[in-house]
Amino acid sequence: MVLTQTTAWMVLVVAGLMEIVWSIGMKYSEGFTRLGPSIVTFVAAGISFWLLAAAVKVLPIGTAYAAWTGIGAVGAAVLGIILFKEPATVARIVCIVLIVGGTVGLKLLGPDANA
């Protein structure tokens, strides 16, 4: 798969969204004891890693990996609050905002910022 800079970022975003799917899938799989959620988790993880690998052919690894994990971390934290009633404390919200800020900062100020 040959990607441009723009399509590599789109692929990376989808990879990050798939990371959210597999992280939430792990919770629903109950330690991989439930077949359906376990299958969803493994398939989403495979797709996520494959898309990340495709994106880093074009994007800097540090920026891409940070964005991928940032999307996954923020998505899992927000869905944990919504789906699993995890606490939405001020400290957690501030930390989520810091992850988003750091991820955006790496994109805007990274080695590909002038590309």
Side-chain angles (χ1 to χ4, degrees):
M1 170 179 351
V2 178
L3 302 175
T4 66
Q5 189 85 2
T6 301
T7 56
W9 277 104
M10 292 187 315
V11 165
L12 184 64
V13 168
V14 175
L17 295 174
M18 293 307 292
E19 184 182 359
I20 297 168
V21 171
W22 69 257
S23 63
I24 297 300
M26 277 196 289
K27 179 75 170 175
Y28 281 114
S29 78
E30 296 178 8
F32 300 116
T33 60
R34 296 180 61 215
L35 182 60
S38 297
I39 291 169
V40 168
T41 299
F42 285 114
V43 169
I47 293 168
S48 182
F49 281 107
W50 180 71
L51 292 173
L52 174 62
V56 298
K57 289 179 181 179
V58 175
L59 303 175
I61 186 65
T63 303
Y65 187 75
W68 179 70
T69 58
I71 293 165
V74 169
V78 169
L79 286 177
I81 291 167
I82 294 168
L83 298 174
F84 306 117
K85 308 299 183 228
E86 295 173 359
T89 63
V90 171
R92 286 187 78 178
I93 301 303
V94 167
C95 290
I96 290 168
V97 169
L98 288 170
I99 293 169
V100 171
T103 303
V104 170
L106 282 170
K107 163 62 174 125
L108 296 178
L109 303 173
D112 62 334
N114 296 325

XYZ file of all heavy atoms in Angstrom:
832
model
N 0.851 -1.173 0.000
C 0.000 0.000 0.000
C 0.901 1.241 0.000
O 1.719 1.402 0.893
C -0.892 -0.054 1.257
C -1.640 1.178 1.531
S -2.767 1.247 2.973
C -2.912 -0.358 3.626
N 0.771 2.103 -0.998
C 1.540 3.339 -1.098
C 0.645 4.483 -0.622
O -0.449 4.684 -1.139
C 2.009 3.588 -2.553
C 2.760 4.898 -2.654
C 2.842 2.427 -3.047
N 1.137 5.213 0.381
C 0.340 6.272 0.985
C 0.996 7.627 0.785
O 2.219 7.744 0.793
C 0.188 6.030 2.492
C -0.444 4.726 2.944
C -0.390 4.621 4.457
C -1.867 4.615 2.458
N 0.167 8.650 0.673
C 0.651 10.026 0.729
C 0.672 10.433 2.199
O 0.168 9.707 3.066
C -0.277 10.972 -0.053
O -1.540 11.017 0.608
C -0.445 10.540 -1.496
N 1.205 11.588 2.477
C 1.226 12.111 3.848
C -0.200 12.195 4.413
O -0.450 11.752 5.526
C 1.885 13.494 3.828
C 2.162 14.077 5.172
C 3.475 13.612 5.747
O 4.225 12.865 5.129
N 3.770 14.035 6.939
N -1.114 12.724 3.627
C -2.492 12.890 4.095
C -3.171 11.545 4.315
O -3.814 11.338 5.355
C -3.305 13.725 3.074
O -2.662 14.997 2.922
C -4.732 13.915 3.526
N -3.032 10.629 3.382
C -3.689 9.325 3.562
C -3.032 8.540 4.690
O -3.713 7.788 5.390
C -3.701 8.499 2.261
O -2.370 8.350 1.776
C -4.586 9.118 1.209
N -1.733 8.736 4.906
C -1.075 8.068 6.032
C -1.679 8.525 7.353
O -1.894 7.715 8.259
C 0.431 8.337 6.000
N -1.989 9.808 7.465
C -2.635 10.306 8.684
C -4.043 9.747 8.828
O -4.467 9.395 9.939
C -2.637 11.836 8.716
C -1.344 12.362 9.237
C -0.332 12.916 8.517
C -0.893 12.314 10.585
N 0.723 13.218 9.344
C 0.405 12.866 10.619
C -1.458 11.868 11.782
C 1.143 12.984 11.799
C -0.723 11.984 12.954
C 0.554 12.531 12.957
N -4.764 9.636 7.733
C -6.111 9.052 7.805
C -6.033 7.588 8.225
O -6.826 7.129 9.058
C -6.840 9.218 6.473
C -7.159 10.671 6.169
S -8.193 11.009 4.723
C -7.542 9.994 3.468
N -5.092 6.857 7.675
C -4.888 5.455 8.047
C -4.520 5.358 9.524
O -5.014 4.489 10.251
C -3.810 4.804 7.148
C -3.320 3.486 7.719
C -4.348 4.609 5.739
N -3.678 6.269 9.987
C -3.274 6.267 11.388
C -4.459 6.532 12.317
O -4.579 5.897 13.369
C -2.167 7.297 11.624
C -1.593 7.314 13.030
C -0.889 5.999 13.354
C -0.643 8.488 13.203
N -5.328 7.437 11.936
C -6.521 7.709 12.750
C -7.400 6.459 12.836
O -7.874 6.093 13.915
C -7.307 8.922 12.208
C -8.678 9.027 12.854
C -6.510 10.205 12.436
N -7.601 5.781 11.723
C -8.391 4.540 11.741
C -7.698 3.488 12.612
O -8.350 2.781 13.378
C -8.656 4.020 10.313
C -9.363 2.672 10.350
C -9.478 5.033 9.525
N -6.374 3.418 12.527
C -5.624 2.485 13.377
C -5.852 2.807 14.855
O -6.042 1.896 15.672
C -4.129 2.548 13.050
N -5.860 4.083 15.194
C -6.129 4.503 16.570
C -7.541 4.160 17.007
O -7.765 3.730 18.141
N -8.494 4.331 16.113
C -9.884 3.962 16.431
C -10.008 2.458 16.654
O -10.735 2.012 17.552
C -10.828 4.437 15.328
C -10.926 5.963 15.153
C -11.771 6.301 13.924
C -11.504 6.614 16.401
N -9.278 1.694 15.854
C -9.288 0.241 16.053
C -8.617 -0.133 17.377
O -8.980 -1.123 18.007
C -8.611 -0.466 14.881
C -9.365 -0.340 13.563
S -11.099 -0.839 13.637
C -10.918 -2.585 13.913
N -7.659 0.665 17.811
C -7.049 0.423 19.121
C -8.085 0.603 20.224
O -8.104 -0.151 21.202
C -5.855 1.344 19.354
C -5.165 1.024 20.671
C -4.003 1.925 21.007
O -3.670 2.827 20.226
O -3.433 1.706 22.085
N -8.951 1.587 20.063
C -10.029 1.772 21.034
C -10.927 0.544 21.049
O -11.303 0.046 22.114
C -10.849 3.043 20.707
C -9.978 4.283 20.809
C -12.066 3.148 21.633
C -10.613 5.533 20.222
N -11.262 0.031 19.865
C -12.121 -1.158 19.773
C -11.489 -2.326 20.506
O -12.144 -3.002 21.304
C -12.414 -1.525 18.295
C -13.120 -2.868 18.195
C -13.230 -0.430 17.624
N -10.186 -2.577 20.265
C -9.603 -3.751 20.912
C -9.405 -3.552 22.405
O -9.530 -4.507 23.175
C -8.373 -4.282 20.207
C -7.090 -3.531 20.175
C -6.596 -2.815 19.133
C -6.079 -3.484 21.196
N -5.354 -2.317 19.445
C -5.016 -2.714 20.700
C -5.973 -4.010 22.470
C -3.863 -2.448 21.441
C -4.836 -3.755 23.211
C -3.797 -2.979 22.690
N -9.153 -2.334 22.843
C -8.990 -2.140 24.287
C -10.325 -2.308 25.016
O -10.388 -2.965 26.064
C -8.366 -0.779 24.594
O -9.205 0.275 24.176
N -11.387 -1.783 24.444
C -12.707 -1.965 25.046
C -13.142 -3.428 24.909
O -13.749 -4.007 25.816
C -13.741 -1.011 24.402
C -13.359 0.450 24.672
C -15.145 -1.313 24.897
C -13.284 0.851 26.125
N -12.787 -4.045 23.787
C -13.087 -5.468 23.598
C -12.470 -6.339 24.669
O -13.065 -7.332 25.108
N -11.257 -5.983 25.120
C -10.626 -6.762 26.196
C -11.470 -6.728 27.458
O -11.612 -7.737 28.143
C -9.225 -6.240 26.494
C -8.186 -6.778 25.549
S -6.516 -6.543 26.149
C -6.330 -4.788 25.981
N -12.032 -5.578 27.764
C -12.887 -5.465 28.950
C -14.101 -6.371 28.803
O -14.446 -7.127 29.713
C -13.304 -4.003 29.142
C -14.195 -3.755 30.318
C -13.446 -3.802 31.615
C -14.320 -3.300 32.751
N -13.654 -3.447 34.038
N -14.744 -6.310 27.634
C -15.937 -7.137 27.404
C -15.609 -8.629 27.299
O -16.464 -9.466 27.541
C -16.673 -6.689 26.134
C -17.519 -5.464 26.334
C -17.199 -4.262 25.697
C -18.646 -5.486 27.146
C -17.981 -3.127 25.872
C -19.431 -4.353 27.332
C -19.089 -3.181 26.690
O -19.866 -2.067 26.872
N -14.366 -8.957 26.952
C -14.005 -10.377 26.815
C -13.847 -11.067 28.163
O -13.775 -12.296 28.225
C -12.706 -10.525 26.012
O -11.581 -10.241 26.814
N -13.783 -10.265 29.225
C -13.627 -10.792 30.589
C -12.444 -11.753 30.665
O -12.574 -12.925 31.014
C -14.922 -11.435 31.075
C -16.059 -10.436 31.193
C -17.381 -11.032 31.635
O -17.431 -12.217 32.017
O -18.375 -10.279 31.606
N -11.265 -11.226 30.307
C -10.046 -12.042 30.355
C -10.007 -13.110 29.279
O -9.449 -14.182 29.485
N -10.590 -12.818 28.143
C -10.670 -13.733 26.996
C -11.444 -15.015 27.331
O -11.184 -16.074 26.772
C -9.282 -14.055 26.421
C -8.554 -12.834 25.946
C -7.378 -12.429 26.539
C -9.057 -12.076 24.899
C -6.706 -11.285 26.102
C -8.401 -10.934 24.452
C -7.227 -10.547 25.064
N -12.411 -14.883 28.220
C -13.271 -16.032 28.547
C -14.579 -15.999 27.776
O -15.324 -16.981 27.809
C -13.584 -16.079 30.059
O -14.261 -14.868 30.441
C -12.300 -16.228 30.879
N -14.864 -14.904 27.072
C -16.071 -14.799 26.245
C -15.626 -14.765 24.784
O -14.857 -13.905 24.378
C -16.860 -13.543 26.614
C -17.366 -13.607 28.060
C -18.160 -12.384 28.465
N -19.335 -12.257 27.614
C -19.835 -11.082 27.222
N -19.272 -9.958 27.598
N -20.900 -11.042 26.453
N -16.124 -15.713 23.993
C -15.629 -15.921 22.636
C -15.858 -14.720 21.719
O -14.928 -14.250 21.061
C -16.265 -17.182 22.027
C -15.781 -17.538 20.619
C -14.278 -17.784 20.612
C -16.541 -18.735 20.087
N -17.072 -14.214 21.636
C -17.387 -13.118 20.710
C -16.521 -11.894 20.930
O -15.839 -11.419 20.000
N -16.517 -11.346 22.139
C -15.656 -10.183 22.388
C -14.171 -10.485 22.210
O -13.400 -9.614 21.801
C -15.966 -9.813 23.842
C -17.339 -10.342 24.083
C -17.416 -11.610 23.269
N -13.760 -11.716 22.484
C -12.350 -12.092 22.286
C -11.985 -12.045 20.810
O -10.917 -11.531 20.440
C -12.084 -13.493 22.843
O -12.295 -13.521 24.239
N -12.865 -12.553 19.959
C -12.612 -12.521 18.514
C -12.544 -11.081 18.023
O -11.636 -10.720 17.271
C -13.689 -13.331 17.754
C -13.522 -14.820 18.051
C -13.609 -13.063 16.257
C -14.674 -15.681 17.564
N -13.499 -10.251 18.458
C -13.494 -8.834 18.064
C -12.189 -8.178 18.500
O -11.572 -7.424 17.741
C -14.713 -8.091 18.660
C -14.576 -6.586 18.501
C -16.000 -8.577 18.018
N -11.741 -8.480 19.702
C -10.503 -7.897 20.225
C -9.305 -8.264 19.356
O -8.523 -7.392 18.958
C -10.270 -8.366 21.676
O -11.370 -7.922 22.474
C -8.967 -7.816 22.235
N -9.156 -9.549 19.042
C -8.002 -9.990 18.247
C -8.050 -9.462 16.815
O -7.021 -9.050 16.266
C -7.879 -11.512 18.261
C -7.342 -12.041 19.560
C -8.139 -12.816 20.381
C -6.048 -11.749 19.961
C -7.649 -13.302 21.586
C -5.545 -12.223 21.167
C -6.351 -13.003 21.985
N -9.223 -9.427 16.213
C -9.345 -8.905 14.853
C -9.035 -7.405 14.834
O -8.275 -6.928 13.988
C -10.742 -9.208 14.267
C -10.966 -8.445 12.967
C -10.917 -10.706 14.050
N -9.610 -6.658 15.775
C -9.361 -5.213 15.832
C -7.892 -4.920 16.099
O -7.315 -3.999 15.501
C -10.242 -4.568 16.903
N -7.263 -5.711 16.968
C -5.840 -5.510 17.251
C -5.001 -5.761 15.995
O -4.085 -4.988 15.687
C -5.387 -6.421 18.387
N -5.316 -6.814 15.275
C -4.586 -7.111 14.044
C -4.721 -6.000 13.023
O -3.725 -5.577 12.414
N -5.940 -5.513 12.845
C -6.170 -4.416 11.899
C -5.436 -3.163 12.357
O -4.797 -2.469 11.560
C -7.677 -4.152 11.724
C -8.347 -5.339 11.034
C -7.926 -2.856 10.957
C -9.869 -5.297 11.063
N -5.504 -2.879 13.642
C -4.858 -1.694 14.189
C -3.352 -1.722 13.960
O -2.761 -0.735 13.493
C -5.171 -1.586 15.689
O -4.598 -0.423 16.236
N -2.713 -2.854 14.261
C -1.266 -2.973 14.057
C -0.906 -2.902 12.578
O 0.088 -2.274 12.201
C -0.736 -4.278 14.660
C -0.566 -4.214 16.151
C -1.433 -4.888 16.986
C 0.473 -3.484 16.713
C -1.276 -4.840 18.361
C 0.641 -3.433 18.092
C -0.242 -4.111 18.919
N -1.701 -3.527 11.731
C -1.431 -3.516 10.291
C -1.511 -2.094 9.737
O -0.650 -1.662 8.959
C -2.404 -4.455 9.577
C -2.196 -4.506 8.101
C -1.154 -5.081 7.417
C -3.049 -3.933 7.108
N -1.316 -4.905 6.063
C -2.469 -4.198 5.844
C -4.249 -3.228 7.164
C -3.054 -3.779 4.658
C -4.828 -2.811 5.976
C -4.227 -3.088 4.738
N -2.543 -1.351 10.157
C -2.694 0.024 9.691
C -1.582 0.916 10.236
O -1.072 1.795 9.522
C -4.071 0.578 10.070
C -5.260 -0.064 9.352
C -6.568 0.447 9.931
C -5.195 0.185 7.853
N -1.194 0.717 11.495
C -0.078 1.475 12.048
C 1.189 1.207 11.245
O 1.934 2.134 10.909
C 0.140 1.118 13.522
C 1.371 1.741 14.191
C 1.282 3.256 14.211
C 1.546 1.177 15.593
N 1.435 -0.050 10.933
C 2.625 -0.405 10.149
C 2.609 0.274 8.782
O 3.654 0.725 8.291
C 2.721 -1.923 9.998
N 1.445 0.355 8.170
C 1.333 1.030 6.874
C 1.607 2.528 7.015
O 2.319 3.115 6.202
C -0.053 0.794 6.269
N 1.069 3.135 8.067
C 1.227 4.580 8.256
C 2.675 4.968 8.526
O 3.146 6.004 8.049
C 0.326 5.059 9.395
N 3.413 4.127 9.281
C 4.793 4.502 9.620
C 5.757 4.325 8.455
O 6.917 4.713 8.557
C 5.323 3.784 10.881
C 4.493 4.144 12.093
C 5.413 2.296 10.693
N 5.274 3.800 7.343
C 6.104 3.813 6.140
C 6.310 5.245 5.664
O 7.301 5.550 5.006
C 5.453 3.002 5.021
C 5.463 1.508 5.241
C 4.773 0.826 4.073
C 4.725 -0.676 4.212
N 4.033 -1.297 3.063
N 5.357 6.120 5.987
C 5.388 7.508 5.527
C 5.652 8.480 6.679
O 6.403 9.440 6.522
C 4.040 7.869 4.849
C 3.977 9.334 4.467
C 3.795 6.975 3.643
N 5.053 8.227 7.825
C 5.121 9.159 8.952
C 6.295 8.832 9.875
O 6.703 7.680 9.973
C 3.816 9.093 9.751
C 2.536 9.373 8.967
C 1.323 9.146 9.846
C 2.541 10.792 8.419
N 6.802 9.842 10.585
C 7.855 9.583 11.574
C 7.330 8.634 12.665
O 6.210 8.822 13.160
C 8.158 10.960 12.163
C 7.578 11.944 11.202
C 6.453 11.256 10.498
N 8.117 7.657 13.057
C 7.663 6.641 14.002
C 7.273 7.243 15.353
O 6.257 6.858 15.933
C 8.701 5.499 14.178
C 8.137 4.371 15.065
C 10.006 6.014 14.741
C 6.977 3.640 14.495
N 8.046 8.181 15.850
C 7.734 8.770 17.154
C 6.405 9.491 17.155
O 5.588 9.327 18.071
N 6.174 10.274 16.141
C 4.916 11.014 16.033
C 3.750 10.062 15.796
O 2.707 10.181 16.444
C 5.000 12.036 14.878
O 6.117 12.904 15.114
C 3.734 12.855 14.768
N 3.919 9.120 14.889
C 2.830 8.191 14.568
C 2.478 7.323 15.764
O 1.290 7.147 16.079
C 3.224 7.318 13.376
N 3.483 6.783 16.441
C 3.207 5.909 17.585
C 2.542 6.691 18.710
O 1.598 6.207 19.338
C 4.498 5.242 18.071
C 4.236 4.217 19.140
C 3.692 2.979 18.820
C 4.510 4.493 20.474
C 3.430 2.042 19.799
C 4.257 3.559 21.457
C 3.722 2.332 21.124
O 3.458 1.412 22.097
N 3.012 7.916 18.954
C 2.401 8.745 19.994
C 0.950 9.070 19.646
O 0.071 9.034 20.520
C 3.201 10.026 20.192
N 0.689 9.384 18.390
C -0.689 9.674 17.975
C -1.565 8.436 18.111
O -2.699 8.513 18.615
C -0.711 10.197 16.545
N -1.055 7.290 17.681
C -1.811 6.028 17.757
C -2.164 5.694 19.206
O -3.322 5.413 19.515
C -0.968 4.933 17.118
C -1.530 3.560 17.108
C -2.586 3.116 16.367
C -1.053 2.416 17.825
N -2.782 1.762 16.592
C -1.851 1.320 17.479
C -0.004 2.239 18.724
C -1.647 0.051 18.004
C 0.206 0.974 19.247
C -0.621 -0.106 18.885
N -1.165 5.746 20.080
C -1.442 5.441 21.484
C -2.295 6.520 22.131
O -3.117 6.221 22.993
C -0.144 5.234 22.287
O 0.654 6.400 22.188
C 0.622 4.023 21.806
N -2.107 7.773 21.705
C -2.922 8.856 22.254
C -4.392 8.694 21.908
O -5.269 8.845 22.770
N -4.663 8.372 20.650
C -6.052 8.132 20.239
C -6.637 6.982 21.054
O -7.748 7.073 21.583
C -6.144 7.828 18.730
C -5.771 9.056 17.912
C -7.546 7.331 18.352
C -5.493 8.768 16.443
N -5.874 5.907 21.174
C -6.345 4.752 21.928
C -6.547 5.052 23.396
O -7.564 4.662 23.995
N -5.589 5.752 24.007
C -5.684 6.059 25.437
C -6.859 6.985 25.738
O -7.628 6.744 26.676
C -4.378 6.680 25.922
N -7.000 8.024 24.949
C -8.099 8.962 25.167
C -9.444 8.277 24.917
O -10.375 8.400 25.712
C -7.940 10.223 24.288
C -9.202 11.069 24.300
C -6.742 11.031 24.762
N -9.535 7.531 23.830
C -10.786 6.837 23.525
C -11.165 5.827 24.589
O -12.325 5.761 25.019
N -10.177 5.048 25.054
C -10.455 4.056 26.095
C -10.845 4.732 27.406
O -11.763 4.275 28.092
C -9.241 3.154 26.295
N -10.180 5.831 27.740
C -10.510 6.537 28.984
C -11.915 7.133 28.928
O -12.698 6.993 29.877
C -9.475 7.629 29.255
N -12.247 7.765 27.810
C -13.577 8.372 27.676
C -14.662 7.292 27.670
O -15.681 7.417 28.354
C -13.648 9.254 26.408
C -15.072 9.677 26.103
C -12.746 10.471 26.568
N -14.431 6.214 26.903
C -15.431 5.141 26.885
C -15.510 4.411 28.226
O -16.574 3.926 28.601
C -15.153 4.166 25.745
C -15.495 4.706 24.364
C -15.127 3.707 23.278
C -16.969 5.068 24.268
N -14.400 4.347 28.951
C -14.435 3.780 30.302
C -15.357 4.582 31.203
O -16.128 4.021 31.994
N -15.304 5.889 31.067
C -16.183 6.764 31.843
C -17.638 6.561 31.424
O -18.534 6.439 32.260
C -15.755 8.239 31.679
C -14.398 8.472 32.365
C -16.816 9.190 32.215
C -13.727 9.791 32.008
N -17.872 6.490 30.120
C -19.246 6.386 29.607
C -19.826 4.987 29.798
O -20.940 4.834 30.311
C -19.284 6.778 28.113
C -18.931 8.262 27.944
C -20.649 6.471 27.500
C -18.664 8.671 26.510
N -19.091 3.958 29.375
C -19.642 2.598 29.362
C -19.530 1.865 30.695
O -20.396 1.068 31.037
C -18.931 1.754 28.293
C -19.060 2.199 26.850
C -18.177 1.343 25.948
C -20.515 2.126 26.407
N -18.444 2.126 31.417
C -18.173 1.336 32.615
C -18.270 2.147 33.895
O -17.884 1.693 34.961
C -16.791 0.673 32.495
C -16.631 -0.125 31.234
C -15.684 0.218 30.291
C -17.462 -1.215 30.964
C -15.538 -0.501 29.112
C -17.332 -1.935 29.790
C -16.372 -1.577 28.861
N -18.775 3.377 33.765
C -19.006 4.259 34.921
C -17.739 4.485 35.745
O -17.787 4.596 36.964
C -20.131 3.707 35.815
C -21.417 3.370 35.088
C -22.023 4.591 34.430
C -23.352 4.212 33.784
N -23.482 4.695 32.445
N -16.585 4.537 35.060
C -15.347 4.869 35.745
C -15.415 6.338 36.155
O -16.094 7.137 35.513
C -14.155 4.592 34.834
C -13.999 3.119 34.514
C -12.923 2.823 33.476
O -12.285 3.759 32.958
O -12.736 1.626 33.175
N -14.720 6.720 37.225
C -14.840 8.095 37.714
C -14.340 9.129 36.704
O -13.306 8.936 36.067
C -13.988 8.113 38.983
C -13.142 6.892 38.935
C -13.823 5.908 38.038
N -15.093 10.211 36.589
C -14.722 11.324 35.703
C -14.247 12.482 36.573
O -14.863 13.540 36.612
C -15.903 11.734 34.838
N -13.149 12.260 37.265
C -12.630 13.296 38.151
C -11.963 14.402 37.343
O -11.603 14.211 36.178
C -11.599 12.690 39.119
O -10.488 12.202 38.365
C -12.207 11.556 39.950
N -11.793 15.534 37.994
C -11.121 16.656 37.343
C -9.711 16.238 36.925
O -9.261 16.549 35.817
C -11.084 17.891 38.274
C -10.197 18.984 37.702
C -12.485 18.416 38.520
N -9.019 15.513 37.779
C -7.655 15.079 37.467
C -7.629 14.192 36.221
O -6.748 14.349 35.363
C -7.053 14.334 38.659
N -8.568 13.270 36.102
C -8.620 12.398 34.914
C -8.893 13.205 33.655
O -8.279 12.973 32.615
C -9.689 11.315 35.082
C -9.266 10.235 36.064
C -10.243 9.114 36.076
N -9.969 8.305 34.881
C -10.605 7.201 34.578
N -11.564 6.750 35.351
N -10.301 6.520 33.499
N -9.827 14.129 33.737
C -10.173 14.959 32.574
C -8.961 15.804 32.168
O -8.638 15.914 30.976
C -11.402 15.849 32.853
C -12.623 15.003 33.212
C -11.689 16.771 31.666
C -13.040 13.977 32.196
N -8.270 16.382 33.139
C -7.069 17.180 32.837
C -6.023 16.302 32.155
O -5.403 16.709 31.160
C -6.507 17.845 34.109
C -5.110 18.407 33.878
C -7.449 18.934 34.600
N -5.827 15.100 32.645
C -4.848 14.194 32.038
C -5.236 13.815 30.611
O -4.375 13.738 29.732
C -4.667 12.950 32.908
S -3.802 13.306 34.458
N -6.511 13.590 30.371
C -6.983 13.290 29.017
C -6.702 14.474 28.096
O -6.199 14.306 26.980
C -8.478 12.913 29.022
C -8.673 11.547 29.687
C -9.063 12.925 27.608
C -10.120 11.196 29.996
N -6.981 15.668 28.574
C -6.715 16.872 27.780
C -5.213 17.011 27.516
O -4.807 17.392 26.404
C -7.281 18.127 28.489
C -6.791 19.414 27.829
C -8.806 18.078 28.499
N -4.376 16.679 28.489
C -2.925 16.743 28.283
C -2.468 15.750 27.221
O -1.580 16.069 26.416
C -2.192 16.491 29.601
C -2.263 17.626 30.621
C -1.703 17.166 31.974
C -1.528 18.858 30.115
N -3.056 14.555 27.205
C -2.712 13.574 26.170
C -3.076 14.112 24.796
O -2.288 14.030 23.850
C -3.404 12.218 26.427
C -2.847 11.564 27.694
C -3.233 11.276 25.231
C -3.655 10.364 28.170
N -4.276 14.674 24.682
C -4.705 15.248 23.403
C -3.754 16.380 22.995
O -3.297 16.440 21.851
C -6.166 15.748 23.474
C -6.536 16.544 22.227
C -7.123 14.581 23.666
N -3.429 17.251 23.930
C -2.532 18.365 23.631
C -1.151 17.904 23.190
O -0.580 18.435 22.234
N -0.625 16.909 23.873
C 0.688 16.369 23.499
C 0.673 15.729 22.128
O 1.608 15.896 21.342
N -0.381 15.004 21.833
C -0.502 14.344 20.535
C -0.612 15.378 19.411
O 0.081 15.282 18.392
C -1.724 13.393 20.528
O -1.573 12.454 21.598
C -1.846 12.671 19.208
N -1.446 16.369 19.610
C -1.596 17.429 18.609
C -0.279 18.195 18.459
O 0.145 18.512 17.349
C -2.765 18.367 18.974
C -2.778 19.615 18.089
C -4.095 17.631 18.877
N 0.382 18.456 19.580
C 1.663 19.155 19.536
C 2.707 18.404 18.735
O 3.445 19.004 17.945
N 2.779 17.086 18.923
C 3.731 16.294 18.143
C 3.434 16.376 16.650
O 4.348 16.437 15.824
C 3.715 14.839 18.604
C 4.468 14.549 19.892
C 4.177 13.138 20.356
C 5.950 14.762 19.701
N 2.161 16.380 16.312
C 1.789 16.480 14.885
C 2.159 17.859 14.331
O 2.766 17.966 13.275
C 0.282 16.213 14.721
C -0.325 16.673 13.410
C 0.264 15.997 12.183
C -0.473 16.380 10.927
N 0.344 16.915 9.887
N 1.812 18.888 15.066
C 2.030 20.249 14.564
C 3.502 20.676 14.591
O 3.928 21.459 13.737
C 1.199 21.251 15.379
C -0.319 21.101 15.272
C -1.002 22.120 16.179
C -0.777 21.268 13.833
N 4.269 20.154 15.531
C 5.638 20.602 15.698
C 6.674 19.542 15.315
O 7.874 19.778 15.442
C 5.870 21.018 17.164
C 4.914 22.096 17.680
C 5.106 22.304 19.162
C 5.082 23.388 16.909
N 6.208 18.402 14.825
C 7.105 17.306 14.489
C 7.886 17.545 13.218
O 7.725 18.572 12.545
N 8.735 16.572 12.855
C 9.605 16.723 11.689
C 8.847 16.876 10.365
O 9.396 17.375 9.403
C 10.443 15.450 11.688
C 9.736 14.497 12.572
C 8.925 15.320 13.543
N 7.588 16.466 10.346
C 6.810 16.592 9.109
C 5.918 17.830 9.121
O 5.065 17.994 8.282
C 5.974 15.331 8.864
C 4.951 15.082 9.958
O 5.165 15.534 11.096
O 3.937 14.417 9.675
N 6.144 18.742 10.071
C 5.285 19.914 10.221
C 5.333 20.825 9.017
O 4.355 21.473 8.671
C 5.664 20.689 11.480
N 6.446 20.899 8.344
C 6.578 21.783 7.169
C 6.314 21.087 5.860
O 6.466 21.663 4.805
C 7.970 22.411 7.149
C 8.187 23.309 8.345
O 7.266 23.965 8.794
N 9.390 23.323 8.886
N 5.935 19.802 5.937
C 5.715 19.033 4.699
C 4.374 19.340 4.094
O 3.477 19.808 4.688
C 5.831 17.548 4.985
